[in-house]
Amino acid sequence: MSPPGGRQGAQRDAEGRFLNPDGGPSGQPLGQVWKMMREGTGTPWPRRVTDPPEAPPAEPPPGHAAITFVGHATFLIRVAGGPTLLTDPVWSERCSPFTFLGPRRARAPGLALEALPPVDAVLLSHNHYDHLDVATLRRLGAPRIITGLANAPILARNGILAAEELDWWQETRVGAATVTYLPARHFSARGIRDRGRSLWGGFAVRTPAGSLFFAGDTAYGGHLREIGEALGPFPIGLIPIGAYEPRWFMRAVHMNPEEAVRARADLGVRTAVAMHFGTFKLTQEGIDEPARALAKARAAAGLAEGDFIVPRFGQTLVLPF
């Protein structure tokens, strides 16, 4: 099935690896990875942060969505009269191929997995361990999973069979909602030999009540304006603000807060909700730096705090479409 509207799906290089929307390769060369690692881990994070408890997720009134921030890129999304969705669910203690090694949670999930309502579909942006967590997906049972090309075999090898693959700009239905898989400037890998072998992306969810955008993982680029022009404006957008230092390396795969503010404008998002911060230490910046930098970038752009919200962990935002 070809993407609708004559738009181009993801392209591959001569070796069959997926390319970014601008035609460039995915991620940074391994030599640059080693160079970045030699710089050290940057500002230390606290071993554990305990957040005050939040109220249980609310039922959204007509014309609204209830967005519950579980942590990192995991949100529970409940649309009035529409689907209940879960994005990139990670409830594990580490985002790693190992249970004893790798980035560990600085914060517990903002909502217990057992407290989830019935979920109509999981939106799985790509295969990195901080987004595709096999242990969590197994605990969820057998949810419908919507993801990018070549991710289903990864899930099937782990006994998870309910995955539906989409190319960029392809659509599927979840009840009354249309879900579109969208380009992102990032990369995929579960190890050192499979880089670029499966597709990465974000999602648009369009319902009779309204539409929203979930970025997944992405660097800043022209694809964001293209998405906004094709499917926007979006009343609600979930946009990453963290894991961005050092810039010489991370700018190829992640936005910093200043770029996230520009992305909000490019996409035509009215109310942006920050994500991808304060949960797992993946890069060099301090645990609170993304929120501080976003506040500065927001003010510089003349935005109010409610235009780009930093949610509390476990907080449910009830937002109008």
Side-chain angles (χ1 to χ4, degrees):
M1 181 174 65
S2 299
R7 294 192 176 275
Q8 188 176 65
Q11 302 299 297
R12 304 187 193 221
D13 66 13
E15 297 181 354
R17 300 179 189 273
F18 288 103
L19 298 170
N20 269 306
D22 60 3
S26 61
Q28 294 275 22
L30 283 177
Q32 296 291 81
V33 175
W34 308 137
K35 177 183 175 183
M36 186 267 294
M37 292 175 67
R38 288 196 298 271
E39 290 188 3
T41 58
T43 303
W45 280 29
R47 172 64 187 82
R48 201 72 166 185
V49 176
T50 301
D51 296 297
E54 296 285 340
E59 286 278 358
H64 289 68
I67 312 291
T68 303
F69 183 46
V70 179
H72 200 57
T74 306
F75 289 89
L76 171 66
I77 301 171
R78 308 173 82 176
V79 177
T84 296
L85 305 169
L86 198 58
T87 65
D88 289 353
V90 180
W91 264 263
S92 294
E93 182 67 11
R94 294 184 187 271
C95 57
S96 167
F98 310 106
T99 58
F100 58 90
L101 187 68
R104 185 198 295 265
R105 280 185 174 276
R107 286 179 161 96
L111 180 69
L113 189 141
E114 294 75 18
L116 287 175
V119 171
D120 295 305
V122 170
L123 307 184
L124 192 62
S125 65
H126 65 299
N127 74 357
H128 284 157
Y129 287 94
D130 58 322
H131 296 259
L132 192 165
D133 180 47
V134 167
T136 295
L137 292 171
R138 285 173 173 161
R139 289 177 64 192
L140 288 170
R144 180 184 177 189
I145 298 172
I146 302 170
T147 189
L149 296 177
N151 283 307
I154 299 169
L155 297 166
R157 287 195 296 271
N158 289 280
I160 301 165
L161 304 177
E164 177 180 354
E165 294 183 348
L166 299 177
D167 196 356
W168 288 341
W169 299 107
Q170 283 186 337
E171 299 175 344
T172 190
R173 299 284 291 182
V174 181
T178 299
V179 176
T180 309
Y181 192 59
L182 294 170
R185 186 172 170 230
H186 197 57
F187 74 110
S188 63
R190 299 284 280 182
I192 62 173
R193 297 180 180 178
D194 66 341
R195 178 180 291 256
R197 295 296 183 183
S198 65
L199 192 55
W200 54 93
F203 292 90
V205 180
R206 288 170 289 159
T207 80
S211 61
L212 61 88
F213 172 77
F214 169 67
D217 249 356
T218 187
Y220 184 77
H223 63 287
L224 298 166
R225 185 174 295 278
E226 182 183 9
I227 291 167
E229 291 172 350
L231 298 179
F234 296 99
I236 303 167
L238 313 179
I239 299 177
I241 66 166
Y244 53 83
E245 291 291 352
R247 285 316 284 151
W248 69 263
F249 182 89
M250 298 308 300
R251 71 172 65 252
V253 292
H254 290 156
M255 293 186 285
N256 65 14
E258 181 181 357
E259 291 168 326
V261 168
R262 291 162 57 194
R264 173 191 172 275
D266 290 352
L267 289 159
V269 168
R270 186 185 67 219
T271 303
V273 180
M275 57 180 255
H276 208 271
F277 68 94
T279 310
F280 298 105
K281 182 169 172 46
L282 304 175
T283 51
Q284 293 180 1
E285 74 273 8
I287 189 169
D288 296 325
E289 186 55 32
R292 287 196 294 265
L294 178 64
K296 293 178 182 178
R298 193 173 53 207
L303 299 176
E305 185 175 350
D307 293 330
F308 204 139
I309 301 168
V310 179
R312 300 186 303 271
F313 285 74
Q315 180 182 13
T316 298
L317 300 166
V318 179
L319 303 174
F321 281 120

